[in-house]
Amino acid sequence: MNDSQQASCSRKPASTNLSEYNIASNPPMLNPEEAEEDRKHMQKIIAALRYYQKYCYARVNKTESYLNSLPKRHQDMLAKYRNHLRVIRDCIDENQKVIRKMLRDNVDFIDMDGSEQIYVAQHDIDGHATKIRRQDMEHAQSTLKLIARDWSASCAEEREQSYKPIIDAIEEFFKPSEFALNEVKILVPGAGLGRLTYELAYRGYECEGNEVSYFMLIASYFVLNLCTEENKYTLYPWVHQFVNNLRMADQVMPIRFPDICPAKNPPKGNLMMAAGDFLEVYKTPNSYDCVATCFFIDCANNIVDFIETIFRILKPGGIWVNLGPLLYHFSDIQGENSIEPTFENLEVIIKMVGFEFLRSQTGVRTKYAQNPQSMLKSEYESLFWICRKPENAVDRIDDSSHCDDEYDELIDGGVGSSSNSSRYEDNYSNGYRNAYQHQ
Amino acid sequence: MNDSQQASCSRKPASTNLSEYNIASNPPMLNPEEAEEDRKHMQKIIAALRYYQKYCYARVNKTESYLNSLPKRHQDMLAKYRNHLRVIRDCIDENQKVIRKMLRDNVDFIDMDGSEQIYVAQHDIDGHATKIRRQDMEHAQSTLKLIARDWSASCAEEREQSYKPIIDAIEEFFKPSEFALNEVKILVPGAGLGRLTYELAYRGYECEGNEVSYFMLIASYFVLNLCTEENKYTLYPWVHQFVNNLRMADQVMPIRFPDICPAKNPPKGNLMMAAGDFLEVYKTPNSYDCVATCFFIDCANNIVDFIETIFRILKPGGIWVNLGPLLYHFSDIQGENSIEPTFENLEVIIKMVGFEFLRSQTGVRTKYAQNPQSMLKSEYESLFWICRKPENAVDRIDDSSHCDDEYDELIDGGVGSSSNSSRYEDNYSNGYRNAYQHQ
């Protein structure tokens, strides 16, 4: 069984029929402990999503309560602002409605193994609100922004900046006129809300997204499989931003999604989403013709692990297309390990791992979930590269004596002998490896 | 005694002569409790500044220790990165040297009242490192970036963006050809490292900076009074940024300061820096011809308090020049109150307080302590306005019946009667009101 099959194990047995879409029918590959860990993790995410409204209300209530303590004169001056807080609450209500719909319709994805449904009682959410971590609530809010980024017309420019260079590179390398695209296997680790994965499958490639966050998996499952109408839903993704606002309307600007409906525009190629930690799930060498990473490789504790894994799972001659700004996610996160090599370091490391650079570009202007109305404008001058695993590539990791000899040539004064031990041990690992498939 | 005099009370009695500069000679205005609070606060800041190197080393050590745990193969690939960590340590050493020099030379500013020196024992710093808050250490690191922003040639563009519009507006209103500039009293609340204050005094205006942070006061005192040579000192302000780096050299890019030496280029006008909370220090009406705020008004729990205070302390006919992006500092800070009116709300409030808008502009592109080499590029589309306190202005705060009648016209359905109580009670207040003077 290869990684892809392993990754595609289902959250639901094949016996269940959904009206329009089937979920991949392989049985779960989790042992009982992993399944229990997975169930608890999913419960936490669901609790956070269901708690969204209360959490956001608490933020507004605090402001309103401070407002009430101000002198009457100030309160009069702030009358329109007070009304604005009411509008913000309405937007939070609307967001919660979409989240509720997402959770309700997702029941078949969320239901663990068909026998035991993930159950999070309301009194657990109300009574143990303190157990819901602020970080999870921030992820819930981010998920709304990322729905906007991937699936709303208003973020079309962002997608053009981030996804088009990758799609263009893949279409240039695997030309539709020269390849049977449904035989070109592409992996998108860090697939997020799934738009890049969808766009590649839509063009005919066999495309698998991989994502570790259940926030994103729940939302992408909803968009990819359960949205039946274009722009059916309305979200207020910027409602949580209380600073840098010019007009009240900016904070409560709605977006509609999905701008394109995958159900009505099914991809020509096979599309699958695989849940789980990239390093845990993908271990089988020579599996993919292309790995496409977009704002992903900096999500590693040790980026060298990511680079080696990408190298290993690529077929000889396969390509790695990457775009992003090296915003190392574990840098300065307490309790997490992190190294933060610069691009200058990475270029050498990528070559040492065995890749050839076909293209390398700096300064690619890309926004990431930028509130278009905000007075704060942030963008990255991202890196973009296309690397090839040579046809005659040797997996240096499994052939340490050979590779270390070569390293000695690359590194002045480098000394031989390597060890595989503890390579993954410092990486965060969640046992869940489940998936769903768009058909 | 007006606010200005109150604010200029000294940290040192007049009997002490410094070689080149005198510190304002008014006796401290603090009662014993306030003086003790002030002393403890200053101790905390000095401890944080002296702990800078150890704190930064700990960050690098953690990375290095993780690096040491990686497989030999990875360590070989990361050899240059490991060396980069050594260079980072060297830069931290150099930064600490400058900080040490700053603290040593500042002894007369730091020494509380001439009788009892602020003493922070090394073993207190070493032994109670956990007591030094992460937030203070971040302020120490920010201080280095703000030295670069205000006093290095490499941040000239930032100053052009932020300070030039303000200086131009003031020179347009108080034309050097029409005014005796040394009689035009300007206040710069949130003076930070003092460059805008210096630039205005340099042009001949009587300019007083106000700043609440001792980090900034210590650093600005050093630059304004104790630097005797241009570009004498070298700092590495971006060494703490481990993400979004293209080249190793980018993270360890030096800056030199001061690009201009106030000691050798003394201002024509009187220049003074006053320590303390803006709302605590400035209460006397009709004191200033101009208040210039740059990235400041969003530092309020209740921005209306700031607007009213600015209105009150301005002389009738005086102007308020403001530039900034409404990045409300207390938004989402635990334990702090905050309201976050948008510009749309503020415009109305500013008029209600009594100001007339002479100019109002949005979208003024301004960077703030932006690492020029970073792959992350952030800038604000700032607000800029010039407001005038009318010649016939009435202090509405002290005449509540009158003002509430007027408010009723401005706010639909507004109801009269106001109260002054608790106006300041929710604002953070440190008792210290000390100052130094550049002569």
Side-chain angles (χ1 to χ4, degrees):
Chain A
M1 182 177 279
N2 68 22
D3 285 329
S4 166
Q5 285 171 312
Q6 198 174 39
S8 73
C9 60
S10 170
R11 314 204 92 263
K12 188 80 179 172
S15 59
T16 305
N17 287 314
L18 293 174
S19 56
E20 291 187 61
Y21 303 98
N22 292 315
I23 295 169
S25 57
N26 302 344
M29 298 301 294
L30 303 176
N31 65 39
E33 291 75 27
E34 286 175 328
E36 177 58 20
E37 191 191 336
D38 192 22
R39 203 179 65 86
K40 281 192 180 153
H41 183 71
M42 178 71 106
Q43 261 182 333
K44 215 175 65 174
I45 305 308
I46 293 171
L49 286 169
R50 282 176 52 183
Y51 189 62
Y52 165 85
Q53 187 181 35
K54 289 221 165 122
Y55 179 83
C56 296
Y57 263 44
R59 166 71 179 78
V60 181
N61 294 347
K62 184 171 174 255
T63 301
E64 203 168 57
S65 142
Y66 178 50
L67 191 57
N68 291 338
S69 79
L70 298 183
K72 171 80 172 57
R73 185 181 72 259
H74 287 194
Q75 292 194 43
D76 289 345
M77 285 193 258
L78 290 158
K80 284 193 175 166
Y81 174 68
R82 181 189 292 278
N83 193 54
H84 176 52
L85 294 179
R86 283 188 209 112
V87 179
I88 287 172
R89 275 210 196 84
D90 293 342
C91 296
I92 292 166
D93 292 348
E94 292 304 309
N95 285 348
Q96 185 70 72
K97 275 184 205 163
V98 174
I99 290 171
R100 213 174 286 136
K101 169 91 179 143
M102 214 155 71
L103 289 174
R104 204 165 43 226
D105 291 2
N106 261 349
V107 67
D108 290 290
F109 172 60
I110 290 167
D111 190 357
M112 287 300 291
D113 55 10
S115 59
E116 184 187 11
Q117 195 175 333
I118 300 274
Y119 178 70
V120 186
Q122 192 57 46
H123 69 82
D124 278 345
I125 295 173
D126 295 343
H128 302 282
T130 49
K131 285 189 192 159
I132 297 173
R133 294 183 310 164
R134 187 178 167 134
Q135 195 186 326
D136 283 334
M137 294 317 306
E138 280 167 11
H139 284 159
Q141 295 180 352
S142 289
T143 304
L144 303 184
K145 284 196 270 189
L146 293 178
I147 291 175
R149 170 170 164 88
D150 263 21
W151 297 103
S152 80
S154 49
C155 293
E157 189 202 345
E158 273 198 23
R159 292 194 298 274
E160 185 88 358
Q161 291 176 332
S162 293
Y163 301 153
K164 195 169 179 294
I166 294 174
I167 295 168
D168 286 352
I170 291 171
E171 287 195 315
E172 194 186 314
F173 201 86
F174 299 106
K175 286 199 173 65
S177 55
E178 295 172 14
F179 285 81
L181 297 193
N182 61 355
E183 289 171 14
V184 177
K185 284 182 70 179
I186 302 176
L187 177 69
V188 179
L193 266 287
R195 184 61 177 259
L196 178 60
T197 312
Y198 169 77
E199 291 291 341
L200 290 168
Y202 182 79
R203 281 160 177 76
Y205 299 100
E206 177 175 327
C207 194
E208 176 177 335
N210 162 242
E211 179 54 57
V212 72
S213 159
Y214 270 147
F215 286 107
M216 308 228 185
L217 285 163
I218 288 170
S220 64
Y221 184 83
F222 180 69
V223 177
L224 287 170
N225 287 317
L226 304 173
C227 287
T228 53
E229 211 178 292
E230 267 155 37
N231 294 318
K232 185 174 176 183
Y233 301 102
T234 302
L235 273 182
Y236 300 86
W238 320 115
V239 73
H240 320 107
Q241 181 184 320
F242 288 83
V243 300
N244 302 131
N245 287 314
L246 210 53
R247 287 167 294 263
M248 291 180 280
D250 295 341
Q251 190 175 357
V252 295
M253 187 71 74
I255 63 104
R256 300 188 71 83
F257 80 95
D259 65 322
I260 183 163
C261 180
K264 288 210 291 200
N265 301 275
K268 278 187 282 179
N270 195 28
L271 188 167
M272 202 186 69
M273 290 289 277
D277 182 312
F278 175 59
L279 294 176
E280 295 285 319
V281 175
Y282 298 93
K283 292 183 174 174
T284 308
N286 311 325
S287 306
Y288 296 93
D289 299 287
C290 173
V291 175
T293 50
C294 185
F295 287 86
F296 172 69
I297 57 166
D298 44 18
C299 301
N301 297 85
N302 170 10
I303 192 172
V304 186
D305 278 335
F306 273 17
I307 297 169
E308 284 187 340
T309 297
I310 292 166
F311 187 81
R312 191 181 314 115
I313 65 176
L314 275 175
K315 295 176 189 170
I319 59 163
W320 171 27
V321 186
N322 175 69
L323 187 143
L326 301 183
L327 176 65
Y328 289 103
H329 280 45
F330 295 112
S331 183
D332 298 313
I333 302 287
Q334 284 195 327
E336 287 285 356
N337 286 311
S338 179
I339 53 168
E340 299 94 0
T342 68
F343 175 54
E344 186 183 7
N345 303 116
L346 278 191
E347 255 187 324
V348 179
I349 291 168
I350 289 167
K351 287 176 194 164
M352 282 179 179
V353 167
F355 280 110
E356 303 168 350
F357 273 92
L358 302 183
R359 197 184 305 164
S360 176
Q361 206 178 329
T362 60
V364 180
R365 295 177 62 170
T366 45
K367 295 191 182 70
Y368 192 90
Q370 165 74 48
N371 175 352
Q373 284 83 34
S374 174
M375 282 191 262
L376 171 61
K377 305 287 179 197
S378 284
E379 65 177 16
Y380 296 101
E381 295 192 344
S382 280
L383 306 166
F384 177 73
W385 63 69
I386 309 172
C387 287
R388 180 163 51 192
K389 178 174 178 172
E391 289 288 354
N392 60 351
V394 182
D395 190 340
R396 295 169 184 232
I397 303 145
D398 299 329
D399 183 13
S400 55
S401 62
H402 170 76
C403 75
D404 277 347
D405 285 352
E406 278 192 28
Y407 290 163
D408 290 351
E409 291 167 29
L410 283 159
I411 309 164
D412 295 339
V415 186
S417 131
S418 82
S419 154
N420 282 340
S421 65
S422 88
R423 187 145 41 87
Y424 296 114
E425 73 188 10
D426 286 311
N427 289 293
Y428 64 112
S429 64
N430 290 308
Y432 46 93
R433 298 179 202 91
N434 302 288
Y436 61 85
Q437 194 156 18
H438 180 285
Q439 291 185 325
Chain B
M1 180 177 282
N2 68 22
D3 287 328
S4 168
Q5 286 170 310
Q6 197 175 38
S8 74
C9 59
S10 171
R11 316 204 90 264
K12 188 81 179 172
S15 57
T16 304
N17 285 316
L18 294 175
S19 57
E20 291 188 60
Y21 302 99
N22 293 314
I23 295 169
S25 57
N26 301 344
M29 298 301 293
L30 304 175
N31 65 40
E33 292 76 25
E34 284 174 329
E36 177 58 18
E37 191 191 338
D38 192 23
R39 204 179 64 85
K40 280 194 180 154
H41 184 71
M42 178 71 106
Q43 261 183 333
K44 214 175 63 172
I45 305 307
I46 293 171
L49 286 168
R50 282 176 53 182
Y51 189 62
Y52 164 85
Q53 186 181 35
K54 290 223 164 121
Y55 179 82
C56 295
Y57 263 44
R59 167 70 179 79
V60 181
N61 294 347
K62 184 169 175 257
T63 300
E64 204 168 54
S65 144
Y66 179 49
L67 192 56
N68 291 339
S69 79
L70 298 182
K72 171 80 173 56
R73 186 180 72 257
H74 287 194
Q75 293 193 43
D76 288 346
M77 287 192 259
L78 290 158
K80 285 194 174 165
Y81 174 67
R82 181 189 293 278
N83 194 54
H84 176 52
L85 295 179
R86 283 190 207 108
V87 179
I88 287 172
R89 275 209 197 83
D90 293 343
C91 296
I92 292 166
D93 293 347
E94 292 305 308
N95 284 347
Q96 185 70 72
K97 273 183 206 164
V98 174
I99 289 171
R100 213 174 286 136
K101 170 91 178 143
M102 215 155 73
L103 290 173
R104 204 167 43 228
D105 290 3
N106 260 351
V107 65
D108 291 290
F109 172 61
I110 290 168
D111 190 359
M112 286 302 290
D113 55 8
S115 59
E116 183 186 14
Q117 194 172 337
I118 300 273
Y119 178 70
V120 186
Q122 191 59 44
H123 69 82
D124 280 343
I125 295 173
D126 296 342
H128 302 283
T130 50
K131 284 188 192 161
I132 298 173
R133 295 182 311 161
R134 187 180 166 131
Q135 196 187 324
D136 283 334
M137 293 317 307
E138 280 166 12
H139 284 160
Q141 296 181 352
S142 289
T143 305
L144 304 185
K145 284 196 271 187
L146 293 179
I147 291 175
R149 171 171 163 87
D150 262 20
W151 297 103
S152 79
S154 49
C155 293
E157 189 202 345
E158 271 197 24
R159 293 194 298 274
E160 184 88 1
Q161 291 176 332
S162 293
Y163 301 153
K164 193 169 181 296
I166 294 174
I167 295 168
D168 286 352
I170 291 171
E171 287 195 316
E172 193 186 315
F173 202 87
F174 299 105
K175 286 198 174 65
S177 56
E178 295 173 13
F179 285 82
L181 297 193
N182 60 357
E183 289 172 13
V184 176
K185 284 184 69 179
I186 302 176
L187 177 68
V188 180
L193 267 287
R195 183 62 177 257
L196 177 61
T197 313
Y198 168 78
E199 291 291 341
L200 290 168
Y202 182 79
R203 281 158 178 79
Y205 299 101
E206 177 175 328
C207 194
E208 175 177 338
N210 162 241
E211 179 55 56
V212 72
S213 159
Y214 271 146
F215 286 107
M216 309 229 183
L217 286 162
I218 289 170
S220 63
Y221 184 83
F222 180 68
V223 177
L224 288 170
N225 287 318
L226 304 173
C227 288
T228 52
E229 211 178 292
E230 266 154 39
N231 294 317
K232 186 175 177 184
Y233 300 102
T234 303
L235 273 182
Y236 301 86
W238 320 116
V239 74
H240 320 107
Q241 182 184 319
F242 287 83
V243 299
N244 303 131
N245 287 313
L246 211 53
R247 289 166 294 264
M248 292 180 281
D250 295 340
Q251 190 175 357
V252 296
M253 187 70 75
I255 63 103
R256 299 188 71 82
F257 78 96
D259 64 321
I260 183 164
C261 180
K264 289 209 293 198
N265 302 275
K268 278 186 283 181
N270 195 29
L271 187 166
M272 202 187 66
M273 290 289 278
D277 182 312
F278 174 60
L279 293 176
E280 295 286 319
V281 176
Y282 298 93
K283 294 183 173 174
T284 309
N286 311 326
S287 305
Y288 296 93
D289 299 286
C290 173
V291 175
T293 50
C294 186
F295 287 86
F296 172 70
I297 58 165
D298 44 18
C299 301
N301 297 86
N302 171 10
I303 191 171
V304 186
D305 278 334
F306 273 17
I307 297 169
E308 285 187 340
T309 297
I310 292 167
F311 187 82
R312 190 180 317 114
I313 64 177
L314 274 174
K315 296 176 188 168
I319 59 163
W320 172 27
V321 186
N322 174 68
L323 187 143
L326 302 183
L327 176 65
Y328 289 103
H329 281 43
F330 294 113
S331 182
D332 298 312
I333 301 288
Q334 285 195 327
E336 286 286 356
N337 286 312
S338 179
I339 52 168
E340 299 94 359
T342 68
F343 175 55
E344 186 182 5
N345 303 116
L346 278 190
E347 256 187 324
V348 179
I349 291 167
I350 289 167
K351 287 176 194 164
M352 283 179 179
V353 167
F355 280 110
E356 303 167 348
F357 273 91
L358 301 183
R359 196 184 306 166
S360 175
Q361 206 178 328
T362 60
V364 179
R365 295 176 63 168
T366 44
K367 293 191 183 70
Y368 191 89
Q370 165 74 47
N371 175 352
Q373 284 83 34
S374 174
M375 281 190 263
L376 171 61
K377 305 287 180 197
S378 285
E379 65 176 18
Y380 296 100
E381 294 194 345
S382 280
L383 306 166
F384 178 74
W385 63 68
I386 309 172
C387 287
R388 179 164 50 193
K389 177 174 179 173
E391 289 288 355
N392 59 353
V394 181
D395 191 339
R396 294 169 187 233
I397 304 147
D398 300 328
D399 185 10
S400 56
S401 62
H402 171 75
C403 73
D404 278 348
D405 287 349
E406 280 194 27
Y407 291 163
D408 291 349
E409 291 167 29
L410 283 158
I411 310 166
D412 294 340
V415 187
S417 133
S418 82
S419 154
N420 282 340
S421 66
S422 86
R423 188 144 41 87
Y424 295 113
E425 73 189 12
D426 287 310
N427 289 294
Y428 65 112
S429 63
N430 290 309
Y432 46 93
R433 302 181 199 88
N434 301 288
Y436 63 84
Q437 194 155 18
H438 180 285
Q439 289 185 329

